[in-house]
Coordinates of all heavy atoms in Angstrom, one line a residue:
M1 N -10.5 -3.6 -25.2 CA -10.3 -4.6 -24.2 C -11.5 -4.8 -23.4 O -12.2 -3.9 -22.9 CB -9.1 -4.1 -23.3 CG -8.8 -5.0 -22.1 SD -7.5 -4.5 -21.0 CE -6.7 -3.2 -21.6
N2 N -11.9 -6.1 -23.2 CA -13.2 -6.3 -22.5 C -12.9 -6.3 -21.0 O -11.7 -6.3 -20.5 CB -13.8 -7.6 -22.9 CG -13.0 -8.9 -22.6 OD1 -12.3 -8.9 -21.7 ND2 -13.1 -9.9 -23.5
Q3 N -13.9 -6.4 -20.2 CA -13.7 -6.2 -18.7 C -12.9 -7.4 -18.1 O -12.1 -7.1 -17.2 CB -15.1 -6.2 -18.0 CG -15.0 -5.8 -16.6 CD -16.4 -5.5 -16.0 OE1 -17.4 -5.5 -16.7 NE2 -16.4 -5.2 -14.7
S4 N -13.1 -8.6 -18.6 CA -12.3 -9.7 -18.1 C -10.8 -9.5 -18.3 O -10.0 -9.8 -17.4 CB -12.8 -11.0 -18.8 OG -12.0 -12.1 -18.3
Q5 N -10.4 -9.0 -19.5 CA -9.0 -8.8 -19.7 C -8.5 -7.7 -18.8 O -7.4 -7.8 -18.3 CB -8.8 -8.4 -21.2 CG -8.9 -9.6 -22.1 CD -8.7 -9.1 -23.6 OE1 -9.2 -8.0 -23.9 NE2 -8.1 -9.9 -24.4
G6 N -9.3 -6.7 -18.6 CA -8.9 -5.6 -17.7 C -8.7 -6.0 -16.3 O -7.8 -5.6 -15.6
E7 N -9.6 -6.9 -15.8 CA -9.5 -7.5 -14.5 C -8.2 -8.3 -14.3 O -7.5 -8.3 -13.3 CB -10.7 -8.3 -14.1 CG -11.9 -7.5 -13.9 CD -13.2 -8.3 -13.7 OE1 -13.0 -9.5 -13.4 OE2 -14.3 -7.8 -13.8
D8 N -7.9 -9.1 -15.4 CA -6.7 -10.0 -15.4 C -5.5 -9.1 -15.3 O -4.5 -9.4 -14.6 CB -6.7 -10.9 -16.6 CG -7.7 -12.0 -16.5 OD1 -8.3 -12.3 -15.4 OD2 -8.0 -12.6 -17.5
Q9 N -5.5 -8.0 -16.1 CA -4.3 -7.1 -16.2 C -4.1 -6.5 -14.8 O -3.0 -6.4 -14.3 CB -4.6 -6.1 -17.2 CG -3.3 -5.2 -17.5 CD -3.6 -4.2 -18.6 OE1 -4.7 -3.9 -18.9 NE2 -2.5 -3.7 -19.1
N10 N -5.2 -6.0 -14.2 CA -5.1 -5.4 -12.8 C -4.6 -6.4 -11.8 O -3.7 -6.1 -11.0 CB -6.4 -4.8 -12.4 CG -6.6 -3.5 -13.0 OD1 -5.7 -2.8 -13.4 ND2 -7.9 -3.1 -13.0
K11 N -5.0 -7.7 -11.9 CA -4.5 -8.7 -11.0 C -3.1 -9.0 -11.2 O -2.3 -9.2 -10.2 CB -5.3 -10.0 -11.1 CG -6.7 -9.9 -10.5 CD -7.5 -11.2 -10.7 CE -8.9 -11.1 -10.2 NZ -9.6 -12.4 -10.4
F12 N -2.6 -8.9 -12.4 CA -1.2 -9.1 -12.7 C -0.4 -7.9 -12.2 O 0.7 -8.1 -11.6 CB -1.0 -9.3 -14.2 CG 0.4 -9.5 -14.6 CD1 1.1 -10.6 -14.3 CD2 1.1 -8.4 -15.2 CE1 2.5 -10.8 -14.7 CE2 2.4 -8.5 -15.6 CZ 3.1 -9.7 -15.3
L13 N -0.8 -6.7 -12.6 CA 0.0 -5.5 -12.2 C -0.1 -5.2 -10.7 O 0.9 -4.6 -10.2 CB -0.5 -4.3 -13.1 CG -0.2 -4.4 -14.6 CD1 -0.9 -3.3 -15.3 CD2 1.3 -4.5 -14.8
Y14 N -1.2 -5.4 -10.1 CA -1.4 -5.1 -8.7 C -1.9 -6.3 -7.9 O -3.0 -6.3 -7.5 CB -2.4 -3.9 -8.6 CG -2.1 -2.7 -9.5 CD1 -2.8 -2.5 -10.6 CD2 -1.0 -1.9 -9.2 CE1 -2.5 -1.4 -11.5 CE2 -0.7 -0.9 -10.0 CZ -1.4 -0.6 -11.1 OH -1.1 0.4 -11.9
P15 N -1.0 -7.3 -7.7 CA -1.5 -8.5 -7.0 C -1.8 -8.1 -5.5 O -1.2 -7.2 -5.0 CB -0.3 -9.4 -7.1 CG 0.9 -8.5 -7.3 CD 0.4 -7.3 -8.1
R16 N -2.7 -8.9 -5.0 CA -3.0 -8.7 -3.6 C -2.7 -10.0 -2.9 O -3.1 -11.1 -3.3 CB -4.5 -8.4 -3.4 CG -4.9 -7.1 -4.0 CD -4.6 -6.0 -3.0 NE -5.0 -4.7 -3.6 CZ -4.7 -3.6 -3.1 NH1 -3.9 -3.5 -2.1 NH2 -5.1 -2.4 -3.7
G17 N -2.1 -9.9 -1.7 CA -1.8 -11.1 -0.9 C -3.0 -11.4 0.0 O -3.8 -10.5 0.3
R18 N -3.0 -12.6 0.5 CA -4.1 -12.9 1.4 C -3.8 -12.3 2.8 O -2.7 -12.0 3.1 CB -4.1 -14.4 1.6 CG -4.6 -15.2 0.4 CD -4.8 -16.6 0.7 NE -5.9 -16.8 1.7 CZ -6.2 -17.9 2.3 NH1 -5.6 -19.0 1.9 NH2 -7.1 -17.9 3.2
Y19 N -4.9 -12.1 3.5 CA -4.8 -11.5 4.9 C -5.0 -12.6 5.9 O -6.0 -13.3 5.9 CB -5.8 -10.3 5.0 CG -5.7 -9.7 6.4 CD1 -4.6 -8.9 6.8 CD2 -6.7 -9.9 7.3 CE1 -4.5 -8.4 8.0 CE2 -6.7 -9.3 8.6 CZ -5.6 -8.6 8.9 OH -5.5 -8.0 10.2
Y20 N -4.0 -12.7 6.8 CA -4.1 -13.8 7.8 C -4.3 -13.3 9.2 O -4.4 -14.1 10.2 CB -2.8 -14.6 7.8 CG -2.6 -15.4 6.5 CD1 -1.8 -14.9 5.5 CD2 -3.3 -16.6 6.3 CE1 -1.7 -15.6 4.3 CE2 -3.1 -17.3 5.2 CZ -2.3 -16.8 4.2 OH -2.2 -17.5 3.0
G21 N -4.5 -12.0 9.4 CA -4.6 -11.4 10.7 C -6.0 -11.5 11.2 O -6.9 -12.2 10.7
Q22 N -6.3 -10.7 12.3 CA -7.6 -10.7 12.9 C -8.6 -10.0 11.9 O -8.3 -8.9 11.5 CB -7.6 -9.9 14.2 CG -8.9 -9.9 14.9 CD -8.8 -9.1 16.2 OE1 -7.8 -8.4 16.5 NE2 -9.8 -9.3 17.1
V23 N -9.6 -10.7 11.5 CA -10.5 -10.2 10.5 C -11.5 -9.1 11.1 O -12.4 -9.5 11.8 CB -11.3 -11.3 9.8 CG1 -12.3 -10.8 8.8 CG2 -10.4 -12.3 9.2
K24 N -11.2 -7.9 10.9 CA -12.0 -6.8 11.2 C -12.0 -5.8 10.0 O -10.9 -5.7 9.3 CB -11.5 -6.0 12.5 CG -11.5 -6.9 13.7 CD -11.2 -6.2 15.0 CE -10.1 -5.2 15.0 NZ -9.8 -4.6 16.3
P25 N -13.1 -5.1 9.8 CA -13.1 -4.2 8.6 C -11.9 -3.3 8.5 O -11.3 -3.1 7.5 CB -14.4 -3.5 8.7 CG -15.3 -4.3 9.5 CD -14.3 -5.1 10.5
E26 N -11.5 -2.6 9.6 CA -10.4 -1.7 9.6 C -9.1 -2.3 9.3 O -8.2 -1.8 8.7 CB -10.4 -0.9 10.9 CG -10.2 -1.7 12.2 CD -11.5 -2.1 12.8 OE1 -12.6 -2.1 12.2 OE2 -11.5 -2.5 14.0
N27 N -8.9 -3.6 9.8 CA -7.7 -4.3 9.5 C -7.6 -4.7 8.0 O -6.5 -4.6 7.4 CB -7.6 -5.6 10.4 CG -7.3 -5.3 11.8 OD1 -7.1 -4.2 12.2 ND2 -7.4 -6.3 12.6
L28 N -8.7 -5.1 7.4 CA -8.7 -5.4 6.0 C -8.4 -4.2 5.2 O -7.7 -4.2 4.2 CB -10.0 -6.0 5.6 CG -10.4 -7.4 6.3 CD1 -11.8 -7.8 5.9 CD2 -9.4 -8.4 5.9
V29 N -9.0 -3.0 5.5 CA -8.8 -1.8 4.8 C -7.3 -1.4 4.9 O -6.7 -1.0 3.9 CB -9.7 -0.7 5.2 CG1 -9.3 0.7 4.6 CG2 -11.1 -1.0 4.9
F30 N -6.8 -1.4 6.1 CA -5.4 -1.1 6.3 C -4.4 -2.0 5.6 O -3.5 -1.6 5.0 CB -5.0 -1.0 7.8 CG -3.6 -0.5 8.0 CD1 -3.3 0.8 7.8 CD2 -2.6 -1.4 8.4 CE1 -1.9 1.2 8.0 CE2 -1.3 -1.0 8.6 CZ -1.0 0.3 8.3
N31 N -4.8 -3.3 5.6 CA -3.9 -4.2 4.8 C -3.9 -3.9 3.4 O -2.9 -4.0 2.7 CB -4.4 -5.7 5.1 CG -3.6 -6.7 4.3 OD1 -4.0 -7.1 3.2 ND2 -2.5 -7.1 4.9
A32 N -5.1 -3.6 2.8 CA -5.1 -3.2 1.4 C -4.3 -1.9 1.2 O -3.5 -1.8 0.2 CB -6.6 -2.9 1.0
N33 N -4.4 -0.9 2.1 CA -3.6 0.3 2.0 C -2.1 0.0 2.1 O -1.3 0.6 1.3 CB -4.0 1.3 3.0 CG -5.4 1.8 2.9 OD1 -6.0 1.7 1.8 ND2 -5.9 2.4 3.9
L34 N -1.7 -0.9 2.9 CA -0.3 -1.3 3.1 C 0.2 -2.0 1.9 O 1.4 -1.7 1.5 CB -0.2 -2.2 4.4 CG 1.2 -2.6 4.8 CD1 2.1 -1.4 5.1 CD2 1.2 -3.5 6.0
Q35 N -0.6 -2.9 1.3 CA -0.1 -3.5 0.1 C 0.0 -2.5 -1.1 O 1.0 -2.6 -1.9 CB -1.1 -4.6 -0.3 CG -1.0 -5.8 0.6 CD -1.8 -7.0 0.1 OE1 -1.7 -7.4 -1.0 NE2 -2.5 -7.6 1.0
E36 N -0.9 -1.6 -1.2 CA -0.8 -0.6 -2.2 C 0.5 0.3 -2.0 O 1.2 0.6 -2.9 CB -2.0 0.3 -2.2 CG -2.0 1.4 -3.3 CD -3.3 2.2 -3.3 OE1 -4.3 1.8 -2.6 OE2 -3.3 3.2 -4.0
F37 N 0.8 0.6 -0.7 CA 2.0 1.4 -0.4 C 3.2 0.6 -0.9 O 4.1 1.2 -1.5 CB 2.0 1.6 1.1 CG 3.3 2.1 1.6 CD1 3.6 3.5 1.5 CD2 4.3 1.3 2.2 CE1 4.9 4.0 2.0 CE2 5.5 1.8 2.7 CZ 5.8 3.1 2.6
A38 N 3.3 -0.7 -0.5 CA 4.4 -1.5 -0.9 C 4.6 -1.5 -2.4 O 5.7 -1.5 -2.9 CB 4.3 -2.9 -0.3
Q39 N 3.5 -1.7 -3.2 CA 3.6 -1.8 -4.6 C 4.1 -0.4 -5.2 O 5.0 -0.4 -6.1 CB 2.2 -2.1 -5.2 CG 1.8 -3.5 -4.9 CD 0.4 -3.8 -5.2 OE1 -0.4 -2.9 -5.5 NE2 0.0 -5.0 -5.1
K40 N 3.6 0.7 -4.7 CA 4.0 2.0 -5.2 C 5.5 2.2 -4.9 O 6.2 2.8 -5.7 CB 3.1 3.1 -4.7 CG 1.7 3.1 -5.3 CD 0.9 4.2 -4.7 CE -0.5 4.2 -5.4 NZ -1.4 5.3 -4.9
V41 N 5.9 1.9 -3.7 CA 7.3 2.0 -3.3 C 8.2 1.2 -4.2 O 9.3 1.7 -4.7 CB 7.5 1.7 -1.8 CG1 9.0 1.6 -1.5 CG2 6.9 2.7 -0.9
A42 N 7.8 0.0 -4.5 CA 8.6 -0.9 -5.4 C 8.7 -0.2 -6.8 O 9.8 -0.2 -7.4 CB 7.9 -2.2 -5.5
I43 N 7.6 0.4 -7.3 CA 7.7 1.0 -8.6 C 8.6 2.2 -8.6 O 9.5 2.4 -9.4 CB 6.3 1.4 -9.1 CG1 5.5 0.2 -9.4 CG2 6.3 2.4 -10.3 CD1 4.0 0.4 -9.6
I44 N 8.5 3.0 -7.5 CA 9.3 4.2 -7.4 C 10.8 3.9 -7.3 O 11.6 4.5 -7.9 CB 8.9 5.1 -6.2 CG1 7.5 5.7 -6.4 CG2 9.9 6.2 -5.8 CD1 6.8 6.3 -5.2
T45 N 11.1 2.8 -6.5 CA 12.5 2.5 -6.3 C 13.1 1.9 -7.6 O 14.2 2.1 -7.9 CB 12.7 1.4 -5.2 OG1 11.9 0.3 -5.4 CG2 12.4 2.1 -3.8
S46 N 12.2 1.2 -8.4 CA 12.7 0.7 -9.7 C 13.0 1.8 -10.6 O 14.0 1.8 -11.3 CB 11.6 -0.3 -10.3 OG 11.5 -1.4 -9.5
L47 N 12.1 2.8 -10.7 CA 12.3 3.9 -11.5 C 13.6 4.7 -11.2 O 14.4 5.1 -12.0 CB 11.1 4.9 -11.5 CG 9.8 4.4 -12.2 CD1 8.7 5.3 -11.8 CD2 10.0 4.3 -13.7
E48 N 13.8 4.8 -9.9 CA 15.0 5.5 -9.4 C 16.3 4.7 -9.7 O 17.2 5.3 -10.2 CB 14.9 5.8 -7.9 CG 16.0 6.8 -7.4 CD 17.3 6.1 -7.1 OE1 17.3 4.9 -6.7 OE2 18.3 6.8 -7.2
S49 N 16.2 3.4 -9.5 CA 17.4 2.6 -9.7 C 17.7 2.5 -11.2 O 18.9 2.4 -11.6 CB 17.1 1.1 -9.3 OG 16.9 1.1 -7.9
N50 N 16.8 2.7 -12.1 CA 17.0 2.7 -13.5 C 17.2 4.1 -14.1 O 17.3 4.2 -15.3 CB 15.9 2.0 -14.3 CG 15.9 0.5 -14.0 OD1 16.9 -0.2 -14.3 ND2 14.8 0.0 -13.5
G51 N 17.4 5.1 -13.3 CA 17.7 6.4 -13.7 C 16.6 7.2 -14.3 O 16.8 8.2 -14.9
K52 N 15.4 6.7 -14.1 CA 14.2 7.4 -14.7 C 13.6 8.4 -13.7 O 12.8 9.2 -14.1 CB 13.1 6.4 -15.1 CG 13.5 5.3 -16.0 CD 13.8 5.8 -17.3 CE 14.2 4.7 -18.3 NZ 14.6 5.2 -19.6
L53 N 14.0 8.4 -12.5 CA 13.5 9.3 -11.5 C 14.7 9.8 -10.6 O 15.5 9.0 -10.2 CB 12.5 8.5 -10.6 CG 11.6 9.3 -9.6 CD1 10.8 10.3 -10.3 CD2 10.7 8.3 -8.9
D54 N 14.7 11.0 -10.3 CA 15.7 11.6 -9.5 C 15.6 11.1 -8.1 O 14.5 10.9 -7.6 CB 15.5 13.2 -9.5 CG 16.6 13.9 -8.7 OD1 17.8 13.9 -9.1 OD2 16.2 14.5 -7.6
P55 N 16.7 10.8 -7.4 CA 16.7 10.3 -6.0 C 15.9 11.2 -5.1 O 15.1 10.7 -4.2 CB 18.1 10.2 -5.6 CG 18.9 10.0 -6.9 CD 18.1 10.9 -7.9
K56 N 16.1 12.5 -5.2 CA 15.3 13.4 -4.3 C 13.8 13.3 -4.6 O 13.0 13.3 -3.6 CB 15.8 14.8 -4.5 CG 17.2 15.1 -3.9 CD 17.6 16.5 -4.1 CE 19.0 16.7 -3.6 NZ 19.5 18.1 -3.8
E57 N 13.4 13.2 -5.8 CA 12.0 13.1 -6.2 C 11.5 11.7 -5.7 O 10.3 11.7 -5.2 CB 11.8 13.2 -7.7 CG 10.4 13.0 -8.1 CD 9.4 14.1 -7.6 OE1 9.9 15.2 -7.2 OE2 8.2 13.8 -7.5
A58 N 12.2 10.7 -5.8 CA 11.8 9.4 -5.3 C 11.6 9.4 -3.8 O 10.6 8.9 -3.3 CB 12.9 8.3 -5.7
Y59 N 12.5 10.0 -3.1 CA 12.4 10.2 -1.7 C 11.2 11.0 -1.3 O 10.4 10.6 -0.4 CB 13.7 10.9 -1.1 CG 13.5 11.2 0.4 CD1 13.8 10.2 1.3 CD2 13.1 12.5 0.8 CE1 13.6 10.5 2.7 CE2 13.0 12.7 2.2 CZ 13.3 11.7 3.1 OH 13.1 12.0 4.4
Q60 N 10.9 12.1 -2.0 CA 9.7 12.9 -1.7 C 8.4 12.1 -1.9 O 7.5 12.2 -1.1 CB 9.7 14.2 -2.5 CG 10.8 15.2 -2.0 CD 10.6 15.6 -0.6 OE1 9.5 15.7 -0.1 NE2 11.7 15.7 0.2
Q61 N 8.4 11.3 -3.0 CA 7.2 10.5 -3.3 C 7.0 9.5 -2.3 O 5.8 9.3 -1.8 CB 7.3 9.9 -4.7 CG 7.2 10.9 -5.8 CD 7.2 10.2 -7.2 OE1 7.0 9.0 -7.3 NE2 7.5 11.0 -8.2
I62 N 8.0 8.8 -1.8 CA 7.9 7.8 -0.8 C 7.5 8.4 0.5 O 6.7 7.9 1.3 CB 9.2 6.9 -0.7 CG1 9.4 6.1 -2.0 CG2 9.1 6.0 0.5 CD1 10.7 5.4 -2.1
K63 N 8.1 9.5 0.8 CA 7.7 10.2 2.1 C 6.3 10.6 2.1 O 5.6 10.4 3.1 CB 8.6 11.5 2.2 CG 8.4 12.2 3.5 CD 9.4 13.4 3.5 CE 9.2 14.2 4.8 NZ 10.1 15.4 4.9
E64 N 5.7 11.1 1.0 CA 4.3 11.4 0.9 C 3.4 10.2 1.0 O 2.4 10.2 1.7 CB 4.0 12.1 -0.5 CG 2.6 12.6 -0.6 CD 2.1 13.6 0.5 OE1 2.9 14.4 1.0 OE2 0.9 13.5 0.9
L65 N 3.8 9.1 0.4 CA 3.1 7.8 0.5 C 3.1 7.4 2.0 O 2.1 6.9 2.5 CB 3.7 6.7 -0.4 CG 3.5 6.9 -1.9 CD1 4.3 5.9 -2.6 CD2 2.0 6.8 -2.3
W66 N 4.2 7.5 2.7 CA 4.3 7.1 4.1 C 3.3 8.0 4.9 O 2.7 7.4 5.8 CB 5.7 7.3 4.5 CG 5.9 6.9 6.0 CD1 6.1 7.7 7.0 CD2 5.8 5.6 6.6 NE1 6.2 7.0 8.2 CE2 6.0 5.7 7.9 CE3 5.6 4.3 6.0 CZ2 6.0 4.6 8.8 CZ3 5.6 3.3 6.9 CH2 5.8 3.4 8.2
K67 N 3.3 9.3 4.6 CA 2.4 10.1 5.4 C 0.9 9.7 5.2 O 0.1 9.7 6.1 CB 2.5 11.6 4.9 CG 3.8 12.3 5.4 CD 3.8 13.7 5.0 CE 5.1 14.4 5.3 NZ 5.2 15.8 4.8
Q68 N 0.6 9.3 3.9 CA -0.8 8.9 3.6 C -1.1 7.6 4.4 O -2.2 7.4 4.9 CB -0.9 8.7 2.1 CG -0.9 9.9 1.3 CD -0.9 9.7 -0.2 OE1 -1.1 8.5 -0.6 NE2 -0.7 10.7 -0.9
L69 N -0.1 6.7 4.5 CA -0.3 5.4 5.2 C -0.5 5.6 6.7 O -1.3 5.1 7.3 CB 0.9 4.5 4.9 CG 0.7 3.1 5.5 CD1 -0.4 2.3 4.8 CD2 2.0 2.3 5.3
K70 N 0.3 6.5 7.2 CA 0.2 6.9 8.7 C -1.2 7.5 8.9 O -1.8 7.2 10.0 CB 1.3 7.8 9.1 CG 2.7 7.2 9.3 CD 3.8 8.1 9.7 CE 3.5 8.9 10.9 NZ 4.6 9.7 11.3
H71 N -1.6 8.4 8.1 CA -2.9 9.0 8.2 C -4.0 7.9 8.2 O -5.0 7.9 9.0 CB -3.1 10.1 7.1 CG -4.5 10.7 7.2 ND1 -4.8 11.6 8.2 CD2 -5.6 10.6 6.5 CE1 -6.0 12.0 8.0 NE2 -6.5 11.4 7.0
S72 N -3.9 7.0 7.3 CA -4.8 5.9 7.1 C -4.9 5.1 8.4 O -6.0 4.8 8.9 CB -4.5 5.0 6.0 OG -5.1 3.8 6.0
K73 N -3.7 4.8 9.0 CA -3.7 4.0 10.2 C -4.3 4.7 11.3 O -5.1 4.2 12.1 CB -2.2 3.7 10.6 CG -2.0 3.0 11.9 CD -0.5 2.8 12.2 CE -0.2 2.1 13.4 NZ -0.4 2.9 14.6
K74 N -4.1 6.0 11.4 CA -4.7 6.8 12.5 C -6.2 6.9 12.3 O -7.0 6.7 13.3 CB -4.1 8.2 12.5 CG -4.6 9.1 13.6 CD -3.9 10.5 13.5 CE -4.5 11.4 14.6 NZ -3.9 12.7 14.6
E75 N -6.7 7.2 11.1 CA -8.1 7.3 10.9 C -8.8 6.0 11.1 O -10.0 6.0 11.6 CB -8.4 7.7 9.4 CG -8.0 9.2 9.1 CD -8.8 10.2 9.9 OE1 -10.1 10.0 9.9 OE2 -8.2 11.0 10.6
L76 N -8.2 4.9 10.8 CA -8.8 3.5 11.1 C -8.7 3.1 12.5 O -9.4 2.1 12.9 CB -8.2 2.5 10.1 CG -8.5 2.7 8.7 CD1 -7.6 1.8 7.8 CD2 -9.9 2.4 8.3
G77 N -7.9 3.8 13.3 CA -7.8 3.4 14.7 C -7.0 2.1 14.9 O -7.1 1.4 15.9
I78 N -6.1 1.8 14.0 CA -5.3 0.6 14.1 C -4.2 0.9 15.2 O -3.5 1.9 15.2 CB -4.5 0.3 12.8 CG1 -5.5 0.2 11.6 CG2 -3.6 -0.9 12.9 CD1 -6.4 -1.0 11.7
G79 N -4.1 -0.1 16.1 CA -3.1 0.0 17.2 C -3.5 0.8 18.4 O -2.8 1.0 19.3
D80 N -4.8 1.3 18.4 CA -5.2 2.1 19.5 C -5.6 1.3 20.7 O -5.5 1.7 21.9 CB -6.4 3.0 19.1 CG -6.1 4.1 18.2 OD1 -4.9 4.4 18.1 OD2 -7.0 4.7 17.6
E81 N -6.1 0.1 20.5 CA -6.6 -0.8 21.6 C -5.4 -1.5 22.2 O -4.4 -1.9 21.5 CB -7.7 -1.7 21.2 CG -7.2 -2.8 20.2 CD -7.9 -2.6 18.8 OE1 -8.6 -1.6 18.6 OE2 -7.7 -3.4 18.0
P82 N -5.4 -1.8 23.5 CA -4.3 -2.5 24.1 C -4.3 -3.9 23.6 O -5.3 -4.5 23.2 CB -4.6 -2.5 25.6 CG -6.1 -2.2 25.7 CD -6.4 -1.4 24.5
P83 N -3.1 -4.5 23.5 CA -3.0 -5.9 23.0 C -3.7 -6.9 24.0 O -3.7 -6.7 25.2 CB -1.5 -6.2 23.0 CG -0.8 -5.1 23.8 CD -1.8 -4.0 23.9
T84 N -4.3 -7.9 23.4 CA -5.0 -8.9 24.2 C -4.0 -10.0 24.6 O -3.1 -10.3 23.8 CB -6.2 -9.5 23.4 OG1 -5.7 -10.1 22.2 CG2 -7.2 -8.5 23.1
T85 N -4.2 -10.5 25.8 CA -3.3 -11.6 26.2 C -4.1 -12.9 26.3 O -5.3 -12.9 26.6 CB -2.7 -11.3 27.6 OG1 -3.8 -11.1 28.6 CG2 -1.8 -10.1 27.6
A86 N -3.5 -14.0 25.9 CA -4.2 -15.2 25.8 C -3.8 -16.2 26.9 O -2.7 -16.1 27.4 CB -4.0 -15.9 24.4

């Protein structure tokens, strides 16, 4: 498989939505992490719904992904500054 086919396959399997929020590096990184979280949760729930994954295991995997996302948010300082008023 050449690189172009691999890129197309990744775009198909792991699509990324556009970001419309305030453009700051930490927001873009968190958005990418959030999209990855959502994709992994969708895969885990599909596996569980189709009987390929035990419900307890699915819960544990999602719980671990959530912890990673929370850690990412904390490390990036998302939500630390007070909201701006216009």
